[in-house]
Amino acid sequence: MRAPFLFVDIEASSLSNRSYPIEIGWVDENGKGEAHLILPPSHWTDWSEEAERCMAFRTALSCGRV
């Protein structure tokens, strides 16, 4: 019996080497998946508007949900 495929995607706060994870998502080979935002601690301050545009990602903060 083979193990099912699982595709994982982790979005980052910027394109620099100081970036941190802001979202993790996964989907299995049948299309069932989840995505979760990661609330960074206050000392994680590296954020890039360029990366945000590149990923077409809007944070919960920019949507007024935090």
Side-chain angles (χ1 to χ4, degrees):
M1 180 165 147
R2 74 172 180 81
F5 284 104
L6 184 65
F7 300 91
V8 177
D9 180 48
I10 301 172
E11 298 294 343
S13 64
S14 76
L15 304 175
S16 79
N17 62 357
R18 296 181 317 272
S19 69
Y20 49 84
I22 57 170
E23 181 184 21
I24 186 166
W26 55 87
V27 64
D28 66 21
E29 60 192 62
N30 298 313
K32 187 175 181 180
E34 296 181 15
H36 299 274
L37 295 175
I38 299 168
L39 181 62
S42 61
H43 67 278
W44 288 5
T45 58
D46 184 53
W47 183 261
S48 166
E49 290 182 12
E50 178 185 3
E52 182 178 358
R53 284 189 303 275
C54 179
M55 294 180 285
F57 180 79
R58 290 182 48 178
T59 66
L61 179 60
S62 69
C63 295
R65 289 184 266 154
V66 175

